[in-house]
Amino acid sequence: MAKTHYSILYIEDNEANRQLIQLILQRKKYLKYSSAVDGESGIKKAIALLPDIILLDISLPGINGHEVLTRLKQEPLTTDIPVIAISGSFPLVYPDDADFLFDNFLAKPIKIALLFEAIDALIALHTN
């Protein structure tokens, strides 16, 4: 039986951005939202919750989004969770030693239609 709800974890240090994404995602009743305020707590929350998709800000205090992605992909419990990078910097610059790539990239300010398109595409990809 197909899932009827999908969980989204948003790792973002800016409270206004977290609240905005929460309000946007509430439009879709099949999405369940949770958030983390930095990379370390985001990794812990991802391991605890095992969300269907992670939205990840690149510019985080402490460890940045690239390091978060690397650690998520190295962790057996989270390695297969799709991660969408969200950044105000475009194009997205990868460190020279980047082993992992994001599943998608969205530029800030977020365009709502593109956010839903990216989420729905990953849901479809990982449920078929």
Side-chain angles (χ1 to χ4, degrees):
M1 176 177 248
K3 290 174 69 168
T4 58
H5 290 85
Y6 298 89
S7 57
I8 307 288
L9 172 61
Y10 185 26
I11 304 172
E12 165 68 70
D13 59 338
N14 183 291
E15 183 177 352
N17 288 344
R18 288 193 311 273
Q19 290 175 351
L20 177 63
I21 295 297
Q22 181 177 15
L23 288 172
I24 291 169
L25 294 181
Q26 286 175 350
R27 295 180 179 186
K28 302 291 185 181
K29 300 298 181 199
Y30 59 91
L31 298 177
K32 181 182 173 192
Y33 173 86
S34 62
S35 66
V37 299
D38 59 38
E40 291 292 345
S41 64
I43 292 167
K44 290 175 185 171
K45 204 164 210 180
I47 292 168
L49 298 177
L50 300 177
D52 294 297
I53 297 172
I54 296 171
L55 305 177
L56 177 59
D57 183 32
I58 300 303
S59 300
L60 293 168
I63 61 172
N64 68 29
H66 296 288
E67 177 64 22
V68 172
L69 178 69
T70 298
R71 289 176 49 187
L72 289 169
K73 295 303 179 184
Q74 291 172 343
E75 166 59 49
L77 291 172
T78 58
T79 192
D80 293 328
I81 297 173
V83 179
I84 299 173
I86 296 180
S87 179
S89 303
F90 188 81
L92 186 59
V93 178
Y94 286 94
D96 291 337
D97 61 348
D99 291 327
F100 304 107
L101 300 178
F102 294 95
D103 292 273
N104 204 332
F105 169 82
L106 296 173
K108 290 178 183 175
I110 297 293
K111 293 185 176 27
I112 296 170
L114 293 178
L115 175 63
F116 287 137
E117 183 180 300
I119 289 170
D120 289 343
L122 286 172
I123 288 172
L125 182 65
H126 290 274
T127 56
N128 292 331

